[in-house]
Amino acid sequence: MFDYDKTKAWRSGEVRHTFTARDTILYALGLGVGSDPLDKQQLRYVYEKELVALPTMAAVLASPGAWMRERTELGIDFLRLVHGEQGVKIHQPLPVAGTVLGESRVTRIVDKGEGKGAVMHVEKLLKDAASGDLLATAEQVLFLRGNGGFSGGTGGDAPAAALPSLPESAPDAVLELPTRPEAALVYRLSGDVNPLHADPEVAAKAGFPKPILHGLATWGNAGRAVVQLFCGHEPTRLRGIRARLTSPVYPGETLVFEGWRVADGHADGEVAFRVRVKERDVVVLNNGRAQVTG
């Protein structure tokens, strides 16, 4: 039985995470950065010389882990849990190495009704351990497919505002991002070791023909595309990014990023985007929004 009160009160406590330049490089490699080793812009993320961090790495630093599975008293049906949305706001540029502190908490649980699941929002504050400065605020939205109907019709918490729709015009920029067959095996080394992304037998039991790419890897590729197309390759200009995860990606497929500038000509503004798989013409990220600065 799902326990709303205990789940809503869940707090991770302080998670300390020390990471090195090697970890920052490994995260970028997991997204496919460095596929052209002669591209100076890509080398900035995968070579120690003038190394910079991709802002989306904030989502994986100081993670509380698979607490939804470990805290069995909460009653979360972990096997039917789906990552539905991911967002991050960047307050300070991420260092390429250091120690950070993450504190996560459940902020919202919406009951969609019996047989319809529930929606849970989990917020993480990421701070620099030395200075105490807030580096980023990350939020993941999880669809609890097996936990609807817990409120007896009251609905639990009020739903969050829906993500805005995309422009109907042709995109202002398009970028193809091929993924490698071993992409999930590399990306999992940044923290998410769920066997769904590595073990063919586990993937088959979950209904997939083979292991799937991490949703956060697809999302991270969208951030990489925004930095390249709308931030002049300068990662510090990306201040926030959010999107719905709508369909799985299989390693080896080609991601196609489509972006629209919705800033009305101002230096600071917003980018709308989606990502689809070229080979199957399936949208895998939708209703994306990114905040960029001049």
Side-chain angles (χ1 to χ4, degrees), residues 42-220:
Q42 292 190 49
L43 280 177
R44 299 175 67 207
Y45 303 104
V46 295
Y47 176 42
E48 294 84 355
K49 182 181 178 181
E50 300 178 355
L51 181 66
V52 293
L54 283 164
T56 50
M57 189 172 67
V60 304
L61 294 175
S63 168
W67 62 271
M68 297 82 74
R69 177 177 56 193
E70 296 163 358
R71 295 288 299 274
T72 56
E73 75 277 11
L74 302 180
I76 296 174
D77 187 346
F78 184 77
L79 294 178
R80 300 186 66 190
L81 180 152
V82 175
H83 196 165
E85 292 180 17
Q86 181 67 43
V88 67
K89 294 180 180 178
I90 304 297
H91 307 293
Q92 298 286 340
L94 293 182
V96 299
T99 298
V100 293
L101 304 175
E103 294 187 41
S104 300
R105 66 187 181 103
V106 173
T107 59
R108 187 191 305 265
I109 309 174
V110 181
D111 189 357
K112 306 291 285 185
E114 186 69 33
K116 298 180 180 179
V119 179
M120 180 169 69
H121 295 239
V122 182
E123 177 189 78
K124 179 183 70 180
L125 300 181
L126 187 69
K127 298 180 180 180
D128 182 87
S131 67
D133 291 342
L134 181 62
L135 299 175
T137 301
E139 184 184 47
Q140 61 177 178
V141 179
L142 304 168
F143 184 32
L144 311 182
R145 294 183 296 166
N147 294 118
F150 65 82
S151 66
T154 63
D157 297 322
L163 294 178
S165 59
L166 297 174
E168 297 182 359
S169 59
D172 296 317
V174 177
L175 180 65
E176 291 193 2
L177 297 165
T179 67
R180 293 182 58 86
E182 71 276 17
L185 296 176
V186 178
Y187 185 83
R188 70 191 299 271
L189 300 178
S190 288
D192 186 346
V193 295
N194 187 332
L196 176 63
H197 306 293
D199 191 325
E201 293 183 1
V202 173
K205 290 179 180 178
F208 299 105
K210 57 184 179 179
I212 62 175
L213 187 64
H214 302 69
L216 278 183
T218 303
W219 177 80

Side-chain angles (χ1 to χ4, degrees), residues 196-281:
L196 176 63
H197 306 293
D199 191 325
E201 293 183 1
V202 173
K205 290 179 180 178
F208 299 105
K210 57 184 179 179
I212 62 175
L213 187 64
H214 302 69
L216 278 183
T218 303
W219 177 80
N221 266 293
R224 170 190 169 194
V226 171
V227 170
Q228 178 175 333
L229 298 173
F230 296 95
C231 299
H233 292 281
E234 180 47 63
T236 59
R237 290 180 56 194
L238 178 61
R239 304 311 301 271
I241 183 170
R242 189 180 188 93
R244 289 177 53 217
L245 287 67
T246 54
S247 190
V249 174
Y250 296 103
E253 293 185 318
T254 303
L255 303 176
V256 181
F257 173 94
E258 300 170 331
W260 293 260
R261 185 176 292 280
V262 290
D264 298 325
H266 296 292
D268 292 358
E270 194 167 50
V271 173
F273 67 88
R274 69 179 168 217
V275 177
R276 58 185 176 85
V277 165
K278 181 178 181 179
E279 291 81 359
R280 293 181 287 125
D281 195 26

